[in-house]
Amino acid sequence: MTDKDDNRGTLLPIPADFPVEWENDAEVTYLWRWDSIHSPLPSSPMSMSLGEDRAARQAKQNPAASNTATTSFRRRFNGYSYSASLPTQATDEERQKQTDEMDEAIGALRELWDTEIRPTMEAELGLAKSVQLRSLTDSDLLDQLDDYLELSVKHWKFHNQVVGPTHSSVHRLSMLYKEIMGDVTDDEPYRLIRGLDNKSLETDLAIQELAKKVREAPETLCIFINNDEPSKILSSLDRSAEGTQFLKILDKFLDVYGLRPTGFDALYPSWKEDPSFVILNIRSFIQSSPRDIRAEQETLSEDAEQCQQMVLAKIGDDRDRIAEFQTCLEHAKELWPLKEDHAFYIDQGSAACLRILLAEVGRRLYSHGVINDADDVFYLTLYEALTAMKSPTSENLSDLATERRNQRDAQIKIIPPAFLGTLPDDGSLGIAPEFRNMMGPAPDANGDQDESVLRGVGGASGSVTGPAKIVRSPEEFTKIRPGDILVCTSTSPTWTPLFGTVGALVSDSGGVLSHTAIVAREYGLPAVVGVKDGTRRIADGQIITVDGDNGLVLLR
């Protein structure tokens, strides 16, 4: 049930297993959205405190920006990240200024990336990787950590410089395509920008090359085939003469591509620290028919060219429209690869370097007897960890870390509501149309609700039937077998190697510009995104059909 308040809209109920404490009366009047893309699981205390530390450092570096009026808010409820925005009324002059600034940012970003952001990230990540952390004193390690926390602020400034113009350029292309071509599916405009190289694709090709090396080595191939667990594969390789040669090749791969954590939280180790995810993907590749990803990309590029010619034919002789379309397409093709590339260097690479530093802090605290396990450091806040490092004999934090670990384990079992707070009305005391679909399963064309059909957004076209595998966290990657249908809350760039194994994708969250939809289109996999409760309504192993053309998931 929901309550109605004439002045606020529709007050949403708070689930019994998801207690919420509002900090003030105003908060309940906001519409809070769960950030299921970046927070599909409850955050660890360390990750939450890292965000707070970065915000404090940003405010210190730029006091003027921190004193501006706040129109957006972020809160953690039961470990999950929610955000709320206040409506703003911009004048025509202000909107035009924003448009002009975005035009300038879109036009300048590619050169900025090539000449400043990427070279800077490569140099600073290379320097971070070169530091021998085990040889540092505790004091020097803390200094190194503080330096990198400062550097992290700079890296996230780069992140913000890239993401806005990149998405805006592609959104503009999509809107222009629809103006020109008329009634088309939501994913059709993105045919124009498929087949472009990016760092995620490069990484996946490199993993496939590792799988090729395994196929060419009989003894190594037997080790991969006869063992299920990555740890057993690695230990068996280490005992084999042929296997040790492969491990050297693997080390070279990890030196280039190893700064990729398997999740957004600092809890998750990078591939360089734990290559299990890479080993699992190699094993999946050698168990299935080899895919020629490069040939697939060439096919997508050819289709993009055909789509471009189709648009130009539709425009005809309107030279102004042709120039507008070609400029828009050029910007989108230049910038779209940066969605994956920036994540490789910033969201993944920089975050992994920071995580590796914190893991070393955890090892020191464990050796000092402050915590029972080195990984317990991620169940402390940054302040608690730093304080303990400076005075390791003052307090034992084992019980606190265990309590928080147990708390997070309990929170993981909760499926958080998509929205909290108050739904805005449409001006006539009815729920605003854009939010009606969250009030329950969407009806079919006849107004009925079919429990055997889940409705979402067609993220990538095509239809596939197969067994569903519910994956809520990186710990469950081992479930995936060739041809399975991946069902998840959301995916991140670090999950992309799975896309070379699965047959289709279903995600609870996202739209046509979500990571799940983007990469599915690049791999030619049918995908339905924004299903809302797919991970709850689909059973593990259940046979389902993913209809990416119509945005439907059919339950068998």
Side-chain angles (χ1 to χ4, degrees):
M1 295 293 292
T2 59
D3 296 325
K4 197 72 182 177
D5 186 312
D6 289 356
N7 296 319
R8 296 185 304 189
T10 301
L11 184 64
L12 293 169
I14 296 176
D17 64 346
F18 201 84
V20 173
E21 293 185 8
W22 303 110
E23 292 185 350
N24 53 63
D25 292 340
E27 282 193 343
V28 74
T29 67
Y30 306 156
L31 178 63
W32 296 86
R33 303 170 188 244
W34 172 33
D35 182 4
S36 56
I37 300 295
H38 299 97
S39 183
L41 298 174
S43 299
S44 67
M46 179 60 73
S47 281
M48 286 190 277
S49 64
L50 286 174
E52 293 165 359
D53 179 81
R54 185 166 61 246
R57 290 172 187 265
Q58 288 170 336
K60 185 177 180 180
Q61 290 181 11
N62 190 2
S66 64
N67 291 330
T68 57
T70 301
T71 58
S72 62
F73 307 89
R74 294 191 73 87
R75 282 281 310 276
R76 301 274 180 178
F77 298 108
N78 302 303
Y80 294 90
S81 178
Y82 282 76
S83 62
S85 298
L86 297 181
T88 57
Q89 295 294 330
T91 64
D92 291 343
E93 182 179 352
E94 289 171 334
R95 282 192 291 268
Q96 185 58 53
K97 181 182 178 183
Q98 292 169 355
T99 299
D100 293 342
E101 289 175 347
M102 185 55 70
D103 287 343
E104 183 178 352
I106 289 172
L109 178 55
R110 185 73 232 191
E111 182 177 359
L112 178 67
W113 173 265
D114 289 337
T115 62
E116 180 181 340
I117 297 177
R118 179 176 52 79
T120 299
M121 290 302 307
E122 288 176 339
E124 291 177 348
L125 293 182
L127 182 60
K129 287 193 295 183
S130 70
V131 177
Q132 301 299 311
L133 299 179
R134 298 291 180 97
S135 67
L136 298 179
T137 65
D138 285 1
S139 177
D140 287 342
L141 179 64
L142 290 180
D143 288 342
Q144 185 75 21
L145 176 57
D146 188 68
D147 288 345
Y148 206 88
L149 288 168
E150 285 291 324
L151 202 60
S152 179
V153 176
K154 174 183 175 181
H155 292 172
W156 279 95
K157 181 181 177 182
F158 286 157
H159 169 94
N160 294 333
Q161 286 178 292
V162 172
V163 170
T166 296
H167 277 273
S168 292
S169 69
V170 174
H171 176 71
R172 290 180 178 187
L173 178 63
S174 174
M175 294 298 100
L176 182 58
Y177 184 96
K178 291 177 180 180
E179 285 179 23
I180 296 168
M181 302 303 294
D183 186 19
V184 298
T185 59
D186 286 339
D187 71 320
E188 184 173 318
Y190 305 103
R191 287 175 58 193
L192 290 164
I193 52 173
R194 294 197 300 176
L196 302 173
D197 286 337
N198 59 65
K199 294 300 289 187
S200 289
L201 180 65
E202 179 188 312
T203 305
D204 299 347
L205 286 168
I207 294 178
Q208 283 211 333
E209 187 62 28
L210 291 176
K212 181 182 176 183
K213 296 290 186 184
V214 171
R215 290 192 189 97
E216 295 171 349
E219 187 177 336
T220 302
L221 180 61
C222 286
I223 291 173
F224 272 87
I225 291 175
N226 295 329
N227 293 281
D228 291 332
E229 296 294 327
S231 59
K232 292 181 180 178
I233 293 174
L234 288 167
S235 61
S236 296
L237 289 171
D238 196 40
R239 294 193 300 269
S240 159
E242 189 180 89
T244 55
Q245 293 304 309
F246 175 77
L247 288 176
K248 292 178 182 178
I249 298 172
L250 177 63
D251 284 342
K252 291 181 180 179
F253 166 88
L254 294 173
D255 189 55
V256 178
Y257 302 105
L259 292 181
R260 288 172 73 103
T262 48
F264 285 111
D265 199 283
L267 276 169
Y268 298 110
S270 65
W271 295 356
K272 196 170 183 67
E273 298 168 272
D274 179 5
S276 294
F277 185 58
V278 178
I279 296 297
L280 285 171
N281 276 277
I282 293 172
R283 192 169 187 274
S284 292
F285 283 140
I286 64 176
Q287 288 177 319
S288 57
S289 299
R291 290 182 60 186
D292 191 341
I293 296 179
R294 182 57 69 192
E296 292 172 2
Q297 291 300 301
E298 290 175 359
T299 299
L300 292 174
S301 295
E302 292 169 1
D303 180 70
E305 178 62 29
Q306 291 172 7
C307 187
Q308 178 181 343
Q309 295 305 317
M310 181 178 65
V311 175
L312 292 172
K314 181 78 171 180
I315 294 173
D317 297 329
D318 187 339
R319 293 188 177 183
D320 290 341
R321 195 64 149 170
I322 290 173
E324 180 187 13
F325 170 70
Q326 290 181 329
T327 299
C328 197
L329 177 59
E330 180 184 357
H331 284 151
K333 291 178 72 172
E334 283 182 342
L335 301 187
W336 193 232
L338 301 188
K339 180 172 175 60
E340 296 297 306
D341 291 4
H342 95 276
F344 179 86
Y345 292 105
I346 303 171
D347 303 43
Q348 300 161 26
S350 181
C353 287
L354 181 54
R355 196 268 177 201
I356 291 169
L357 273 164
L358 291 167
E360 180 61 27
V361 170
R363 282 188 284 271
R364 304 288 177 97
L365 293 180
Y366 169 70
S367 68
H368 293 320
V370 176
I371 49 181
N372 288 334
D373 187 283
D375 284 345
D376 281 350
V377 70
F378 299 106
Y379 294 93
L380 305 178
T381 66
L382 179 63
Y383 174 79
E384 289 166 345
L386 298 182
T387 301
M389 277 287 288
K390 294 171 184 175
S391 182
T393 59
S394 62
E395 186 177 6
N396 186 291
L397 300 175
S398 299
D399 291 343
L400 178 63
T402 299
E403 178 185 347
R404 289 176 178 168
R405 185 189 292 269
N406 293 338
Q407 180 186 46
R408 183 174 181 273
D409 288 344
Q411 290 171 338
I412 286 176
K413 298 175 183 177
I414 303 171
I415 298 180
F419 293 86
L420 292 170
T422 302
L423 277 177
D425 64 36
D426 61 4
S428 60
L429 304 185
I431 297 170
E434 61 267 33
F435 300 110
R436 287 179 190 150
N437 67 344
M438 65 147 293
M439 299 308 292
D444 60 22
N446 299 317
D448 299 322
Q449 291 180 354
D450 187 346
E451 295 297 325
S452 67
V453 178
L454 304 183
R455 302 176 187 277
V457 176
S461 60
S463 179
V464 164
T465 298
K469 294 296 174 67
I470 314 299
V471 176
R472 292 188 176 87
S473 69
E475 289 89 350
E476 297 180 317
F477 286 164
T478 54
K479 290 182 178 181
I480 297 296
R481 296 293 180 269
D484 286 346
I485 295 175
L486 173 62
V487 181
C488 57
T489 301
S490 64
T491 64
S492 72
T494 55
W495 290 35
T496 52
L498 294 176
F499 287 45
T501 299
V502 300
L505 298 107
V506 176
S507 68
D508 290 347
S509 61
V512 292
L513 285 182
S514 65
H515 178 266
T516 307
I518 292 164
V519 183
R521 290 193 292 269
E522 287 297 320
Y523 278 80
L525 299 174
V528 178
V529 299
V531 179
K532 293 186 296 187
D533 55 358
T535 54
R536 180 166 17 193
R537 295 182 60 192
I538 299 172
D540 215 29
Q542 182 177 6
I543 302 300
I544 65 174
T545 296
V546 178
D547 180 357
D549 296 300
N550 297 297
L552 302 176
V553 181
L554 311 179
L555 309 183
R556 303 293 181 176

